[in-house]
Amino acid sequence: MSNAERRPLLLDFEKPLVELESRIIQIRELAEENNVDVSDQIEQLEGRATQLRREIFHSLTPAQRLQVARHPRRPSTLDYIQAMTDEWVELHGDRSTGSDDKALVGGVARLAGRPVVMLGHQKGRDTKDNVARNFGMASPSGYRKAMRLMNHANRFGMPILTFIDTPGAYAGVEAERLGQGEAIAYNLREMFRLDVPIVCTVIGEGGSGGALGIGVGDRLLMFEHSVYTVASPEACAAILWKDAGKAPQAAEALRITATDLQNLGILDEILPEPDGGAHANPLAAAATLKQALVSSLDHLSTHAAAELRELRYQKFRDIGVFLEPAT
């Protein structure tokens, strides 16, 4: 990919890295034109670029991690499914209103030889695709489709794997008319009663009730540059300070990063990303996710159904519990 193609997708904190990479390319081209051996210098500069990339992505602020989580080339649910599974059959429709929400996809797959049901939010890759996918914001029919697939998994004893990547549920008038809140609340309740293992992974942006609608599970995994939040930093800043420009300040206060959530006892495992983020090496990110999912399912499969339900219930009951110091 040329520099011109990359520039529209360039994040502000990546500029020093891109400038260094451009310099390496220029030096290499000049050396080839003049038949000069600069391999040692190129090797040193490439080593510096690798080190700089690692330094940048290991010291991101919450607001910068949000930028990475929203990167248009970040792998989506369907990208991960195609990269990880041996077989995949997408299933459509909510069997209720007769509609098929493209912002939430799901189906039956085989992961490392194990039959599973996979479902998740699906964003688009470009503007046209994003409009078709409603920017990953699911409607009531999407959450009802998800519940239909999860009931199917429960009936046939297949584990459920969900992939969270949405700014939030669709908040349009039509969605409210069709019962958006009820559809999400129903999923929250029903996921607690399922007998099969459920592993939820935040692969990008986990926003509000739209994320929770498929987020009740036995284990919660999260890529290191993903975010999970009750409201977007922009919305939070607009509500608290009447100024969406204070989103970076809100991102700090909301504790939206994987490390924050792990420290709060909400997250079970942080999945490391390739240097430069998951979009820099999607296949490596998919390999990491597959290994984590297989390991989680191996562990959860040792529990009986009743034990799974009780542990799942207790997991969420423990969220937010704290002990006050004795006086």
Side-chain angles (χ1 to χ4, degrees):
M1 182 180 294
S2 69
N3 288 341
E5 289 174 313
R6 289 188 57 181
R7 199 161 288 120
L9 303 177
L10 181 65
L11 302 177
D12 54 1
F13 54 83
E14 291 182 300
K15 289 179 181 178
L17 177 61
V18 172
E19 290 171 358
L20 179 57
E21 290 175 339
S22 297
R23 182 182 171 194
I24 293 172
I25 293 173
Q26 291 172 356
I27 293 174
R28 183 180 284 114
E29 290 175 347
L30 286 172
E32 291 176 355
E33 290 175 2
N34 296 280
N35 196 26
V36 178
D37 182 13
V38 292
S39 55
D40 290 342
Q41 293 90 330
I42 292 292
E43 184 177 352
Q44 291 178 359
L45 288 173
E46 288 178 339
R48 172 56 186 155
T50 299
Q51 181 183 358
L52 180 60
R53 183 182 297 106
R54 187 175 295 115
E55 290 173 356
I56 288 173
F57 279 86
H58 284 199
S59 60
L60 297 178
T61 67
Q64 289 171 333
R65 290 186 190 276
L66 181 61
Q67 287 183 272
V68 178
R70 291 173 173 172
H71 197 286
R73 294 199 181 279
R74 193 168 177 84
S76 68
T77 292
L78 288 177
D79 291 331
Y80 282 121
I81 289 175
Q82 295 292 345
M84 294 188 303
T85 60
D86 307 316
E87 298 177 57
W88 160 248
V89 179
E90 185 174 353
L91 301 177
H92 300 272
D94 63 359
R95 300 299 189 270
S96 176
T97 63
S99 60
D100 181 41
D101 187 358
K102 294 183 179 181
L104 204 155
V105 299
V108 181
R110 193 177 296 275
L111 179 71
R114 178 189 277 119
V116 297
V117 164
M118 293 181 164
L119 55 101
H121 303 101
Q122 180 64 32
K123 292 181 177 179
R125 188 64 69 204
D126 53 32
T127 301
K128 183 179 179 180
D129 195 19
N130 257 321
V131 170
R133 298 285 184 183
N134 200 31
F135 297 85
M137 296 184 293
S139 66
S141 66
Y143 290 103
R144 289 172 182 138
K145 175 171 69 173
M147 197 65 242
R148 178 177 77 83
L149 297 180
M150 288 188 278
N151 282 328
H152 177 85
N154 196 57
R155 186 177 303 114
F156 292 99
M158 292 184 287
I160 299 167
L161 306 176
T162 75
F163 305 104
I164 298 168
D165 186 17
T166 180
Y170 181 51
V173 174
E174 184 66 9
E176 294 301 316
R177 186 183 71 81
L178 293 174
Q180 183 72 287
E182 184 274 340
I184 293 174
Y186 183 82
N187 283 20
L188 294 177
R189 186 189 71 187
E190 292 299 296
M191 290 181 78
F192 279 104
R193 69 164 180 80
L194 298 177
D195 297 326
V196 295
I198 306 173
V199 182
C200 307
T201 307
V202 183
I203 61 174
E205 185 180 8
S208 192
L212 289 176
I214 58 170
V216 175
D218 304 297
R219 285 182 61 80
L220 177 63
L221 316 180
M222 191 170 170
F223 275 106
E224 65 172 312
H225 298 316
S226 294
V227 298
Y228 203 18
T229 174
V230 67
S232 71
E234 294 86 354
C236 177
I239 293 169
L240 294 182
W241 300 295
K242 312 299 182 186
D243 181 5
K246 292 187 177 180
Q249 183 178 343
E252 291 277 356
L254 283 168
R255 310 286 293 276
I256 64 177
T257 70
T259 301
D260 288 331
L261 293 168
Q262 189 174 56
N263 291 338
L264 290 170
I266 296 172
L267 181 64
D268 294 298
E269 184 179 353
I270 299 176
L271 306 181
E273 297 189 24
D275 289 336
H279 59 279
N281 193 338
L283 291 179
T288 298
L289 176 57
K290 181 177 181 179
Q291 181 179 5
L293 292 175
V294 171
S295 177
S296 293
L297 291 180
D298 287 342
H299 171 72
L300 293 172
S301 63
T302 62
H303 296 289
E307 187 179 8
L308 273 178
R309 292 195 305 271
E310 178 59 29
L311 290 172
R312 190 181 307 146
Y313 172 79
Q314 196 57 51
K315 172 183 174 65
F316 281 82
R317 289 290 295 178
D318 289 343
I319 293 176
V321 172
F322 65 94
L323 298 176
E324 294 183 351
T327 56

